[in-house]
Amino acid sequence: MRKLKFIVSGGGTGGHIYPAIAIANELKSRFPDAEFLFVGAKDKMEMQKVPQAGYKIEGLWIAGLQRKLTVQNMMFPFKLISSLWKSRQIINKFKPDVVIGTGGFASGPLLQVANSRNIPTLVQEQNSYPGITNKLLSKKANKICVAYENLERFFPKEKIVLTGNPVREDLLNIDSKKDEAIAHFNLDANKKTLLVLGGSLGARRINQLIEKEIYNIVSKDIQVIWQCGKFYINEYKHFSDGKNVQVLDFIDRMDLVYAAADFVISRAGASSVSELCLVGKPTIFIPSPNVAEDHQTKNAKAIVDKNGAILLKENELDEKFETTFSNLISNESLQKELGQNIKSLAKPNATKDIVEEIIKLIK
């Protein structure tokens, strides 16, 4: 069989990057001789994370539109023209068999050019409310793999395949990693562990909440692993005490940190929600209200409506957090119920199912 070539594009946040890497890894396991090229946005985190995963990446000069009038917005037409030009050069040189987009602004110009050349394209939408890039791309894409039901409002129904979101392969068997996790993070095996996740860049309001509540949490004989994000590490790292609290900007071994956790407080980005379904830990979602169409709240509600997690909005935290958290950690039957229900919503075969759809597109 001839050597296949795949371009994978998406980025800006871990929520777009890690699904892209998971898809590439699965394709590579099926087609070991295949060539891969990632395309991302210059100066975004994919330019570091993708090479760390062992793949080549090209960067486009592209960024999203801001919600208010800024110099960046005035530059947008020039960035778009530049990115379309470079996308043409990349596609002409690499000659991909299929182009895969996982969201983020970099995937827009690239898939647009691929569609105009009749190169098969697949869009992977992680959220319950799609972003503008994927909505535009869906009109000409060959297939759209989604993680939530009822997306016919946004995408052509005949192109939609419900697969779930790609997740890291190493999260599939975390139950066997508890001892390794305790050793890795130097935890006390006799204490419960709270994991706090603010997303790859961090979450100001969650950080403020934990700053306010940290001594109250620790007083309940709970140890804390607090991922505060790279923008906030200098502000909060002094809370690390080498004993009960660890403050980290980024966590590389997510498999081990999930294995260690007894409870989770998290944003409700699509990848985080999918991972938490897979690991099945009692979770309090605190969605970001500062995202397009409030899609994190919609992501969380899809789980909460099935009694699989607890939802607290940012404007409820001062009033409700202490009571909600105390009730969760003291109620073992609630913990068990939430853990079982969220796990029942997992789609562990998502990456394989998406790759099956990609294989169907190879001409």
Side-chain angles (χ1 to χ4, degrees):
M1 188 178 176
R2 65 191 168 87
K3 185 186 280 191
L4 295 171
K5 294 184 172 187
F6 300 100
I7 292 183
V8 189
S9 182
T13 67
H16 295 309
I17 298 162
Y18 292 116
I21 292 170
I23 290 168
N25 287 344
E26 179 63 24
L27 279 166
K28 197 173 185 178
S29 74
R30 309 262 190 118
F31 306 105
D33 295 333
E35 280 187 56
F36 293 87
L37 179 65
F38 278 68
V39 177
K42 280 181 180 174
D43 305 323
K44 293 293 185 181
M45 64 188 290
E46 56 264 31
M47 301 309 290
Q48 283 80 46
K49 298 299 174 191
V50 168
Q52 284 171 13
Y55 295 101
K56 292 180 191 168
I57 186 165
E58 296 257 8
L60 302 180
W61 186 46
I62 190 73
L65 286 164
Q66 310 299 306
R67 293 187 188 185
K68 52 185 184 290
L69 190 63
T70 64
V71 174
Q72 272 197 325
N73 276 358
M74 292 166 70
M75 294 296 290
F76 180 77
F78 303 101
K79 290 183 175 183
L80 182 59
I81 291 164
S82 163
S83 295
L84 286 165
W85 177 254
K86 186 160 185 190
S87 293
R88 282 192 197 100
Q89 290 180 314
I90 289 168
I91 282 175
N92 286 344
K93 187 178 175 187
F94 191 76
K95 297 183 172 58
D97 291 284
V98 182
V99 176
I100 301 132
T102 61
F105 297 103
S107 64
L110 194 88
L111 269 77
Q112 186 71 29
V113 171
N115 286 331
S116 72
R117 301 284 172 86
N118 291 319
I119 296 166
T121 61
L122 179 140
V123 169
Q124 197 268 318
E125 174 55 59
Q126 294 109 33
N127 287 295
S128 57
Y129 197 100
I132 187 166
T133 304
N134 279 356
K135 281 188 203 167
L136 291 170
L137 292 173
S138 70
K139 293 178 174 64
K140 293 192 175 174
N142 297 77
K143 272 284 181 275
I144 305 149
C145 293
V146 302
Y148 293 89
E149 295 170 345
N150 305 316
L151 265 67
E152 296 84 3
R153 298 174 289 157
F154 309 109
F155 298 140
K157 185 177 181 179
E158 68 280 4
K159 296 181 181 180
I160 295 174
V161 184
L162 180 64
T163 56
N165 281 325
V167 289
R168 307 163 217 243
E169 196 74 22
D170 57 7
L171 300 184
L172 294 176
N173 297 301
I174 63 156
D175 292 344
S176 64
K177 299 181 181 180
K178 182 86 171 180
D179 292 343
E180 185 187 351
I182 287 167
H184 181 85
F185 290 102
N186 200 23
L187 297 167
D188 183 339
N190 298 311
K191 286 187 175 182
K192 297 281 190 181
T193 302
L194 169 66
L195 171 61
V196 180
L197 298 171
S200 51
L201 304 178
R204 177 179 292 281
R205 188 65 187 92
I206 290 180
N207 288 336
Q208 290 170 340
L209 171 74
I210 302 304
E211 178 184 27
K212 179 184 162 207
E213 298 287 344
I214 192 71
Y215 299 115
N216 177 39
I217 292 168
V218 169
S219 73
K220 300 180 190 296
D221 208 29
I222 289 173
Q223 54 203 343
V224 181
I225 299 175
W226 174 7
Q227 183 258 318
C228 68
K230 67 173 185 177
F231 292 140
Y232 302 100
I233 188 66
N234 291 330
E235 197 175 339
Y236 296 109
K237 64 184 177 186
H238 67 277
F239 283 101
S240 282
D241 59 10
K243 187 181 165 194
N244 293 311
V245 181
Q246 296 179 48
V247 184
L248 307 167
D249 59 342
F250 191 82
I251 301 169
D252 284 313
R253 290 298 305 269
M254 287 304 296
D255 58 329
L256 294 186
V257 85
Y258 282 133
D262 295 286
F263 320 102
V264 182
I265 293 172
S266 177
R267 280 300 199 209
S271 288
S272 297
V273 173
S274 296
E275 288 180 0
L276 287 161
C277 287
L278 202 63
V279 300
K281 300 292 171 95
T283 300
I284 297 173
F285 284 122
I286 304 174
S288 170
N290 310 311
V291 292
E293 308 294 341
D294 198 21
H295 69 250
Q296 285 203 6
T297 299
K298 295 178 174 78
N299 291 348
K301 268 188 66 59
I303 307 301
V304 173
D305 289 348
K306 304 266 175 69
N307 201 23
I310 295 164
L311 171 62
L312 287 178
K313 294 191 175 181
E314 282 194 354
N315 59 13
E316 300 174 327
L317 292 175
D318 291 336
E319 180 190 344
K320 293 185 177 177
F321 177 78
E322 278 190 41
T323 309
T324 303
F325 185 68
S326 295
N327 182 42
L328 175 63
I329 63 171
S330 62
N331 188 337
E332 286 193 15
S333 64
L334 175 61
Q335 293 166 28
K336 192 174 178 184
E337 183 183 2
L338 293 177
Q340 287 175 344
N341 288 345
I342 194 170
K343 195 161 182 118
S344 72
L345 301 172
K347 291 190 167 64
N349 297 318
T351 313
K352 290 182 172 64
D353 291 344
I354 291 165
V355 165
E356 288 296 331
E357 295 301 324
I358 293 167
I359 290 168
K360 290 176 191 173
L361 298 179
I362 297 169
K363 290 177 179 175

